[in-house]
């Protein structure tokens, strides 16, 4: 009789092994068997599910006064303003060149902006209409075009949820532009350049083709976009959002691609929320080719992409901690990318809140 024998790869996935991250030239320790251990550690407070649509004390709401006494306009779409407490300033002084090699510093110049996605505080990107998300993408592109004309790097990022240190539930992101290339994009730039010089093809373009064929780590996909749990993922349900064609920066996306991006973002973020039926916390951000003086250079090795880093591991209240070994030795994860992708892929694309509202409406109709 036939007896099933696990392949070496299947055996490996149940044991500890290392996976290479070509975007960071580093290795990740995968320890899937650790998911079986009992949990008696910290439990997070579940995100607040009942948020007021308008809060007169919220500085991000339309018509309200912020900390610097500026009054927000009664905006009905996106709204961008200069961060009232910026980490970067355009007039930072130059410390000079007479420095000890062990005590070096440079001028860090730039601007920091806040961008509200929507006038309502009780919506998030997956619950917004597609045309509303397109307006967010259009504004991102506009800011990269505007700030990138002057600054080397324009970082768009969103911290969602108190678990990720976000102090305000109003849907918003931040945009920091700097006169220097920060550590993470500088490392990514080097790795993508090295790969391109060896293979004459952008690293992430080839990676997207490989993942689209393999399917095992694909979460959602469309004609223009692909979302995967990357082979080298560190965070439990980390994903990588990629265009299928070669694109350097977000402002180069066509109208069709921006509409498709709005769709794929809504699908991904709906699955995130549906995983534990909670407004899923994460930090996300866009990486594209550097700007400023780099606009005059060949950046063919770059490929536009977005990273999503959600911390939740076992439930809405238990998150992954990057401490101890991760801080002192190397990154480690507790389930394989394939397991995470399968869980996300099999979730419905109807948001749990939309489903609940539909069910309530049906019950009301029956009771009449």
């Amino acid at each position: 009789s036939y007896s099933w024998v696990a392949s070496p790869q299947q055996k490996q996935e149940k044991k500890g092994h290392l996976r290479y991250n070509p975007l960071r030239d580093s290795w990740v320790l995968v320890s899937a068997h650790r998911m079986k251990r009992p949990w008696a550690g910290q439990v997070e407070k579940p995100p607040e599910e009942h948020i007021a649509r308008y809060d007169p004390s919220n500085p991000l709401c339309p018509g309200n006064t912020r900390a610097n006494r500026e009054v927000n306009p009664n905006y009905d779409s996106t709204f961008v303003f200069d961060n009232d407490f910026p980490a970067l300033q355009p007039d930072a002084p130059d410390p000079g060149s007479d420095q000890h090699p062990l005590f070096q510093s440079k001028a860090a110049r730039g601007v920091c902006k806040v961008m509200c996605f929507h006038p309502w505080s009780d919506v998030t990107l997956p619950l917004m209409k597609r045309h509303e998300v397109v307006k967010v993408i259009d504004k991102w592109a506009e800011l990269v075009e505007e700030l990138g004309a002057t600054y080397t790097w324009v970082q768009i990022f969103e911290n969602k949820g108190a678990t990720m240190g976000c102090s305000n539930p109003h849907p918003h992101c931040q945009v920091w532009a700097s006169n220097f290339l920060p550590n993470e994009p500088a490392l990514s730039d080097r790795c993508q350049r090295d790969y391109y010089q060896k293979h004459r093809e952008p690293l992430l373009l080839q990676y997207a083709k490989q993942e689209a064929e393999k399917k095992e780590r694909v979460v959602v996909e469309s004609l223009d976009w692909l979302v995967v749990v990357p082979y080298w993922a560190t965070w439990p349900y980390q994903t990588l959002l990629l265009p299928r064609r070669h694109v350097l920066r977000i402002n180069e996306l066509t109208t069709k691609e921006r509409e498709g991006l709005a769709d794929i973002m809504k699908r991904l973020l709906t699955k995130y929320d549906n995983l534990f039926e909670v407004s899923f916390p994460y930090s996300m951000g866009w990486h594209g080719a550097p700007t400023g003086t780099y606009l005059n250079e060949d950046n063919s090795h770059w490929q536009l992409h977005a990273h999503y880093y959600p911390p939740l591991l076992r439930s809405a209240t238990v998150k992954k901690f990057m401490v101890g070994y991760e801080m002192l030795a190397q990154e480690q994860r507790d389930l394989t990318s394939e397991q995470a992708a399968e869980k996300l892929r099999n979730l419905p694309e109807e948001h749990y809140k939309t489903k609940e509202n539909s069910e309530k409406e049906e019950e009301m109709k029956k009771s009449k």
Side-chain angles (χ1 to χ4, degrees):
S1 61
Y2 173 78
S3 60
W4 179 82
V5 178
S7 69
Q9 182 178 354
Q10 288 168 325
K11 288 180 180 178
Q12 182 196 57
E13 288 178 355
K14 294 181 180 180
K15 303 292 182 180
H17 63 280
L18 299 173
R19 294 191 180 190
Y20 181 64
N21 181 348
L23 278 179
R24 303 192 78 253
D25 190 23
S26 63
W27 293 83
V28 179
L29 173 61
V30 182
S31 313
H33 54 283
R34 279 168 55 85
M35 285 293 284
K36 296 178 181 178
R37 74 191 194 283
W39 180 257
Q42 180 172 320
V43 175
E44 303 296 317
K45 181 181 178 182
E48 176 61 52
E49 287 291 293
H50 303 289
I51 296 169
R53 180 157 293 182
Y54 170 77
D55 181 350
S57 65
N58 190 325
L60 297 186
C61 285
N64 288 358
T65 303
R66 303 199 307 276
N68 63 353
R69 300 186 183 278
E70 291 282 336
V71 178
N72 298 333
N74 288 309
Y75 63 93
D76 59 4
S77 180
T78 60
F79 169 51
V80 178
F81 62 92
D82 291 335
N83 195 315
D84 298 327
F85 305 97
L88 294 163
Q89 296 172 321
D91 56 353
D94 193 325
S97 57
D98 186 18
Q99 301 181 39
H100 190 282
L102 297 180
F103 302 95
Q104 299 184 51
S105 62
K106 293 181 180 179
R109 300 189 180 99
V111 295
C112 298
K113 295 183 179 291
V114 176
M115 173 182 164
C116 296
F117 296 152
H118 197 280
W120 297 351
S121 294
D122 62 342
V123 299
T124 53
L125 285 169
L127 293 170
M128 288 166 57
K129 295 181 173 62
R130 187 182 80 159
H131 75 271
E132 294 173 331
V133 180
V134 170
K135 287 181 180 179
V136 171
I137 296 164
D138 286 342
K139 185 58 69 173
W140 283 342
E142 183 183 314
L143 288 167
V144 168
E145 185 90 31
E146 173 194 332
L147 299 174
T150 303
Y151 292 102
T152 299
W153 186 255
V154 181
Q155 183 60 67
I156 298 166
F157 65 97
E158 179 194 4
N159 294 325
K160 178 171 178 270
T163 303
M164 301 309 293
C166 181
S167 59
N168 195 312
H170 195 89
H172 71 285
C173 72
Q174 298 188 55
V175 183
W176 294 12
S178 62
N179 70 330
F180 57 91
L181 194 58
N183 294 341
E184 289 299 315
L187 178 57
S188 183
D189 179 67
R190 176 176 66 79
C191 291
Q192 290 181 84
R193 189 186 299 276
D194 289 349
Y195 185 92
Y196 187 82
Q197 289 175 346
K198 291 176 184 176
H199 303 282
R200 306 313 301 172
E201 184 178 13
L203 185 161
L204 287 174
L205 196 61
Q206 174 59 222
Y207 179 69
K209 290 176 183 176
Q210 292 285 332
E211 289 287 31
E213 290 176 7
K214 295 177 184 295
K215 299 290 187 187
E216 59 187 334
R217 285 174 292 274
V218 173
V219 178
V220 287
E221 61 181 324
S222 66
L223 287 174
D224 296 318
W225 295 93
L226 180 74
V227 177
V228 300
V229 176
Y231 178 75
W232 54 81
T234 300
W235 293 95
Y237 295 96
Q238 176 180 333
T239 54
L240 182 62
L241 171 56
L242 295 158
R244 291 188 186 265
R245 77 169 177 95
H246 191 197
V247 184
L248 299 185
R249 303 175 182 90
I250 195 168
N251 55 311
E252 298 172 13
L253 294 175
T254 65
T255 299
K256 177 175 174 289
E257 286 168 336
R258 295 181 190 195
E259 291 172 350
L261 176 56
D263 279 331
I264 210 82
M265 285 172 58
K266 281 176 60 64
R267 291 171 64 192
L268 169 64
L269 299 179
T270 294
K271 285 179 178 288
Y272 269 163
D273 284 5
N274 285 344
L275 180 61
F276 299 129
E277 293 198 347
V278 71
S279 187
F280 210 64
Y282 59 74
S283 279
M284 70 80 62
W286 284 98
H287 279 183
T291 49
T293 57
Y294 285 81
L295 293 170
N296 300 319
E297 298 180 11
D298 182 6
N299 290 284
S300 300
H301 55 290
W302 266 92
Q303 173 72 333
L304 176 70
H305 57 285
H307 295 284
Y308 284 85
Y309 299 132
L312 297 185
L313 175 61
R314 297 167 179 245
S315 69
T317 57
V318 176
K319 71 175 185 178
K320 166 72 176 176
F321 287 89
M322 291 291 186
V323 296
Y325 188 86
E326 290 91 345
M327 295 178 72
L328 298 167
Q330 74 180 76
E331 297 170 335
Q332 180 270 338
R333 67 180 282 113
D334 295 328
L335 76 165
T336 67
S337 301
E338 295 74 26
Q339 292 169 332
E342 184 179 15
K343 283 187 178 182
L344 291 173
R345 186 169 55 245
N346 291 336
L347 289 167
E349 294 192 7
E350 180 186 11
H351 198 280
Y352 74 94
K353 284 189 175 180
T354 306
K355 184 180 179 182
E356 286 175 358
N357 291 338
S358 298
E359 289 174 349
K360 286 178 182 177
E361 288 176 3
E362 284 297 318
E363 289 177 3
M364 289 178 66
K365 287 179 181 177
K366 291 177 180 178
S367 64
K368 288 181 180 179

